[in-house]
Amino acid sequence: MTQLRTVQVLGGGGAGSGAHVRSLAAGLVARGVRVTVCAPAELEDLYDFPAAGAGFAPVPGRGDPAALGALRSVCAAADVVHAHGPHAGVRAALALSGLRIPLVVTWHTRGQDGGARGRVLRLLERRAARAAAVALGSCSELVDRARLRGARDARLAPLAMPAPSGRPAGRAALTRAGLGAGDRPLVLAVGGLTPERGYRTLLDAAGWWRRLDPVPLVLIAGEGRGRAALERRIASEELPVRLLGRRDDIAELLVASDVAVLPSRWEARSPLAQEALRLGVPLVATAVGGVPELVGDAAELVPYGDVGALAGAVAGLLGDRVRRAELVRAGPAQAAGWPTEDETVAQVLSVYDELVAR
């Protein structure tokens, strides 16, 4: 049997899509598939795709002729091309112009619909949806969105994130000591410092939590263009918030925390939510996008942008040991029902086989 050849096309490689492609590449290679990842050069160091057995072709995440030519030269030898995100989908579709190679596009997340950028995004989404032989959505809302944009065949494909290798036992006290937390409750948020992450609401809630005794320490792990504005506000209002920058010890930070918070405007299958529930860390999250179907009853859900609801939910958990214990048990039980990495790879491979057989 001829070896199946696939090219995975990544653009910016957000935390969810980059980790998924790394996991998918490893699983496909293990099943005898030849995988090449096309992505900006910096993602090779970040995700080490060659260590997963995949080839790597550095291709800038833009649509100029040189980048498209480089992408086309790699994709021309593939049986199936799989793009991750509408931007990557449009670039892959342009690179495949005139070639009889099926295109799969996975929708990992969505952009904002308002303003000029929103109009451009809708155009990109329509082109990506119509070019795809199969569109895969990581949550039900994204499947509906792909269909709305004109996808001929849109399917639900929940993505599995690599599971943590057990609860980091015995490190919570050491991590707390390193943070200088003392006996204060720790509230942890993780994600890029951008407006859509909802950190403005989180800082509003942190001001409210100063009424508590002891006052919780809010930690935000991540980096981004909004850092300077957040720093100014934290300093001017003397908020009990610390920006940690990029961290590679999220599991340790979670286990040391009393509550994790996800105040985002929109999420599909949030890596933070997945890791928090797997580790049994109580989570307060906004009821947006794919979050409700991901967490079920294993987290406290609040409306996006509602300071009172977010502040009250976190304060309620900090003051209710019984409810926290319920969520500690509920998280891993909910996570046990999510698809495994192996099941995710098997579903994607079945799509490839179907398209090649056509």
Side-chain angles (χ1 to χ4, degrees), residues 82-135:
H82 190 164
H84 296 268
H87 288 80
V90 170
R91 291 195 302 116
L94 290 170
L96 291 173
S97 179
L99 301 176
R100 295 175 58 85
I101 299 172
L103 173 64
V104 178
V105 178
T106 291
W107 296 46
H108 293 267
T109 185
R110 63 161 228 199
Q112 300 310 310
D113 291 327
R117 292 183 67 182
R119 289 192 292 274
V120 172
L121 175 65
R122 287 193 292 276
L123 288 172
L124 285 170
E125 288 181 341
R126 279 198 290 271
R127 292 191 68 178
R130 293 170 182 176
V134 174

Side-chain angles (χ1 to χ4, degrees), residues 164-176 249-257 275 278-281:
S165 56
R167 189 180 177 97
R171 294 185 230 166
L174 186 61
T175 301
R176 288 180 61 88
D249 59 345
I250 300 302
E252 286 81 359
L253 291 172
L254 276 167
V255 170
S257 300
E275 196 158 10
R278 279 174 169 153
L279 292 170
V281 179

